[in-house]
């Protein structure tokens, strides 16, 4: 369950590059093995889009893993196109979303994945693993693409498709879903369900 007010920044930030013109890919979240970033780097290296930049936005919670990722990017020959951004504010994250073509969450396991909806509020499709709450938010081919966790070929294919897909329509669908997801009606309904669950315990 998410708070409604947290999304204001994402709702109100304007895109700086139209999604159909944007080339960059963004990941948002902590840098830990469970997030599948090693697969994302392999898939990104195989992507036939040399102009694309990959921004990894989030705290390097596992320093050893973060260093392994840096080494992997170097070994794959993509170190100059992979940017380890580190922690940013909510507005800073919204600004990265506002200039990117797609947000990717290649998790091996995941809870609700609030960042998926935050990215969608910026009118951007999302590629996510078919784990946890992610399939509840991504409708494959409509507002993003779903991939199997631990499947690098599937992830690579989804990344490639995002450059030929109608991301303007997908992004509009994503934003519409996210706005409904965070609507005041949903917010109130969420609290009603919480109180109902509390009453049953």
């Amino acid at each position: 369950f998410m708070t409604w007010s947290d999304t204001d920044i994402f709702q109100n930030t304007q895109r700086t590059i139209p999604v159909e013109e944007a080339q960059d890919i963004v990941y948002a979240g902590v840098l830990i093995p469970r997030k599948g970033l090693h697969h994302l780097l392999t898939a990104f290296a195989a992507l036939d889009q040399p102009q694309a930049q990959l921004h990894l936005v989030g705290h390097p919670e596992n320093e050893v893993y973060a260093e392994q990722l840096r080494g992997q990017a170097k070994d794959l020959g993509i170190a100059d196109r992979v940017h380890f951004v580190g922690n940013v504010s909510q507005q800073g994250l919204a600004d990265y979303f506002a200039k990117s073509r797609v947000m990717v969450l290649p998790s091996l396991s995941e809870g609700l994945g609030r960042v998926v909806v935050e990215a969608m509020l910026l009118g951007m499709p999302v590629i996510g693993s078919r784990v946890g709450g992610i399939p509840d938010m991504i409708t494959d081919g409509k507002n993003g693409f779903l991939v199997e966790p631990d499947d690098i070929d599937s992830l690579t294919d989804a990344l490639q498709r995002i450059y030929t897909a109608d991301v303007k329509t997908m992004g509009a669908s994503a934003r519409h879903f996210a706005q409904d997801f965070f609507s005041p009606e949903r917010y109130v309904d969420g609290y009603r369900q919480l109180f109902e669950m509390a009453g049953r315990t």
Side-chain angles (χ1 to χ4, degrees):
F1 176 62
M2 307 178 195
T3 57
W4 175 37
S5 58
D6 288 347
T7 64
D8 287 353
I9 288 170
F10 299 93
Q11 289 259 35
N12 297 329
T13 298
Q14 298 296 312
R15 289 199 62 92
T16 48
I17 303 175
V19 67
E20 68 273 17
E21 295 176 17
Q23 300 296 319
D24 290 358
I25 298 164
V26 63
Y27 160 85
V30 293
L31 308 190
I32 56 175
R34 180 172 60 80
K35 296 292 189 176
L37 294 166
H38 45 294
H39 293 334
L40 178 55
L41 290 184
T42 301
F44 181 69
L47 182 64
D48 183 26
Q49 298 291 336
Q51 78 290 353
Q53 305 283 314
L54 173 61
H55 304 278
L56 305 180
V57 182
H59 177 62
E61 193 169 291
N62 184 324
E63 290 282 0
V64 173
Y65 181 61
E67 279 308 306
Q68 289 173 347
L69 292 175
R70 290 177 192 276
Q72 182 186 356
K74 191 173 180 181
D75 292 343
L76 289 168
I78 54 173
D80 60 329
R81 296 197 293 128
V82 177
H83 309 279
F84 290 81
V85 177
N87 250 347
V88 298
S89 66
Q90 291 288 86
Q91 183 61 63
L93 178 57
D95 291 341
Y96 272 98
F97 288 161
K99 62 183 181 181
S100 298
R101 188 177 187 91
V102 66
M103 202 277 284
V104 185
L105 194 62
S107 306
L108 308 182
S109 69
E110 188 66 53
L112 186 58
R114 183 178 75 172
V115 72
V116 171
V117 185
E118 291 171 344
M120 287 181 174
L121 285 170
L122 269 292
M124 177 170 59
V126 176
I127 295 171
S129 301
R130 208 182 290 272
V131 296
I134 294 176
D136 295 330
M137 297 178 281
I138 297 175
T139 302
D140 190 56
K142 184 176 181 184
N143 61 4
F145 293 122
L146 286 168
V147 299
E148 296 303 321
D150 251 337
D151 187 339
I152 296 171
D153 289 342
S154 174
L155 182 56
T156 305
D157 180 61
L159 284 176
Q160 193 67 56
R161 286 169 69 196
I162 215 73
Y163 288 89
T164 55
D166 179 2
V167 290
K168 185 175 182 179
T169 299
M170 290 178 77
S173 177
R175 184 170 169 83
H176 183 267
F177 168 82
Q179 287 174 330
D180 177 64
F181 195 85
F182 278 123
S183 67
E185 292 78 18
R186 283 284 191 107
Y187 181 68
V188 171
D189 191 54
Y191 264 110
R192 181 183 57 76
Q193 290 175 23
L194 282 178
F195 282 122
E196 285 178 358
M197 283 189 287
R200 288 197 294 268
T201 56

